[in-house]
Amino acid sequence: MARLWDLTVVTFKTRRLTRLLVLIALLKAAVWAMLWQDVSFAAQESSEPAVAFAGRLVGDETRLRLIMDFDKRIEHTSYLLANPARFIVDVPTTVFALGSVHLPKASFASDMKYGSISTDRSRIVLALSSPVKIERATVSRLKGRKHYRLIIDLVKTDEQTFRAAVLKEPRPVKRRAAKRSNPKAVNGKSDMLVVLDPGHGGRDGGAIGQGKTAEKDIVLRFAKRLKARLEKDKRFTVLLTRNNDRYITLSRRVAFARRHRADLLLSIHADALRQRFVRGATVYTLSQRGADQIARSLSQNANRLQMLENLELDSEPDRVSNILLELTKRETRTFAKRFAGLLIDRYRGDIRLLKKPHRAANFFVLKAPEIPSVLLELGYLSNRKDEKMLNDPKWTRMAVDRTAKAIHAFFAPRFAVGH
């Protein structure tokens, strides 16, 4: 009996020791994971675009000061152009989360624009009503903070001095080829990079219509045709998250767009609903609350595989939830909603729309904080009429045309910022 008791005690102690060792191993793994996450985030952060989070113009009819605050040090080139008179500032890729920048009432600046002009450059443009010269242009670190301030002083001058300054200023290349390390620079010609994301693929077939139409095939065909249509304009580079029948996780789709620093992400679907009477195109932008029943149903289905893999974009370190990221997200949401509106406007009258075509949902693929992202439901394969429509080549050509026109309209203001 004593031997049996001793054996029981030894077994109990062994189990406790095993559990303790397992717990230590798990803690070590967790610590290493946290450290690796920090390293990965730091590497990602270094390639992120700069954020201009504050800006203002101050001055009068003789002097003007441009002040702009960035989250990181930036290199800049400033110069003057004539016919019409403009003051230009070129900076690396920047997200402008400025809100409204008001022009001084008495000023020689009549307008201000800013935006992307190429794969690796952004631009600030001041329209001038009088000849000026550049008196000072500096970038300095704000005292006690990790932010940097760009200050440029312009002074009114005579026409001869202005013309001489224009001639002296080097004129930078509008579309310079980026370094090979920049994954967004697929070629040196395009201004804007669009990522098209055909949903599902491989073992994830998506919805299946009553006529056996597979969602993964419909959306891939549509994405390829839209890519060909867009690339007729050399200002666009278009990439697909998949160009064949293969399975890609949602996190990799988002990572693909972020790695290539996309200017727009359009995810394309043709899902199914229990309500088979529902039909028509629907456009979704990101919202973590306030989604309706249809949006919740679709997002739960779309996110299920992602949840099983235990991958969440929002599980990054707490420090990413700072004011700069929030400003970036706010601007991104504004751009996404603007594109959604343009897409619906181009569809209206030609492409059947859901009664409430713009909806909000918590789709994982829409969560890239710096990329305007929209999910397009071309129709619903659960509806026989929509299924027939989605297989109609004539309808497909029209839908591709309207989608391409919406994308052109979305980027039109940015193209206008160039020379």
Side-chain angles (χ1 to χ4, degrees), residues 254 258 311-316 364 367-369:
V254 176
R258 300 187 78 188
L311 292 170
E312 284 293 338
L313 193 68
D314 291 338
S315 62
E316 293 176 335
F364 186 93
K367 289 187 175 182

Side-chain angles (χ1 to χ4, degrees), residues 18 44-45 47 67 72 78 80 131 217 277 303 327 342 354 408:
T18 301
Q44 178 186 7
E45 192 178 45
S47 63
I67 304 169
K72 61 176 70 174
S78 56
L80 297 166
D217 298 331
F277 62 88
N303 294 344
L327 288 168
L342 291 168
L354 215 60
H408 276 86

Side-chain angles (χ1 to χ4, degrees), residues 194-405:
V194 177
V195 169
L196 301 178
D197 173 43
H200 309 284
R203 67 175 186 266
D204 175 19
I208 302 293
Q210 296 179 59
K212 305 304 180 184
T213 301
E215 179 184 6
K216 65 178 183 179
D217 298 331
I218 288 287
V219 298
L220 180 59
R221 184 165 66 241
F222 186 91
K224 285 182 175 180
R225 291 180 179 178
L226 179 56
K227 179 180 188 293
R229 171 74 164 75
L230 287 171
E231 288 188 335
K232 289 179 179 179
D233 186 333
K234 298 302 182 182
R235 295 176 298 181
F236 287 99
T237 293
V238 184
L239 302 178
L240 301 182
T241 55
R242 68 178 182 95
N243 54 19
N244 53 31
D245 184 19
R246 63 191 179 110
Y247 172 72
I248 303 174
T249 64
L250 296 178
S251 59
R252 287 185 179 179
R253 295 171 190 265
V254 176
F256 179 88
R258 300 187 78 188
R259 183 170 70 252
H260 289 281
R261 291 164 55 195
D263 297 298
L264 177 69
L265 169 62
L266 178 61
S267 189
I268 305 166
H269 290 258
D271 278 299
L273 295 168
R274 276 183 281 183
Q275 306 95 322
R276 292 188 176 182
F277 62 88
V278 176
R279 62 177 304 226
T282 318
V283 182
Y284 288 90
T285 52
L286 181 66
S287 176
Q288 295 184 355
R289 59 183 181 271
D292 58 27
Q293 183 179 351
I294 292 177
R296 282 193 296 271
S297 173
L298 289 175
S299 62
Q300 286 168 5
N301 291 336
N303 294 344
R304 185 172 291 122
L305 287 174
Q306 193 62 49
M307 289 187 290
L308 288 175
E309 295 168 6
N310 195 28
L311 292 170
E312 284 293 338
L313 193 68
D314 291 338
S315 62
E316 293 176 335
D318 288 341
R319 64 174 171 231
V320 304
S321 298
N322 57 30
I323 186 65
L324 297 180
L325 187 64
E326 287 307 311
L327 288 168
T328 304
K329 286 181 177 179
R330 187 186 308 167
E331 184 182 65
T332 300
R333 286 194 297 267
T334 299
F335 282 136
K337 290 177 181 178
R338 178 174 170 270
F339 174 66
L342 291 168
L343 190 56
I344 290 167
D345 287 344
R346 297 311 185 276
Y347 274 24
R348 204 178 299 278
D350 295 316
I351 305 295
R352 185 184 177 95
L353 295 164
L354 215 60
K355 187 175 181 180
K356 180 186 173 185
H358 184 190
R359 299 183 178 230
N362 191 23
F363 288 109
F364 186 93
V365 77
L366 302 179
K367 289 187 175 182
E370 77 281 20
I371 303 172
S373 305
V374 168
L375 186 143
L376 169 63
E377 291 283 357
L378 293 169
Y380 295 94
L381 286 171
S382 45
N383 182 280
R384 284 188 180 275
K385 291 182 179 179
D386 266 11
E387 182 179 10
K388 182 179 179 181
M389 176 193 72
L390 290 165
N391 282 297
D392 183 354
K394 183 179 178 181
W395 180 91
T396 301
R397 284 194 298 272
M398 183 167 57
V400 165
D401 176 71
R402 301 302 184 272
T403 307
K405 286 179 177 177

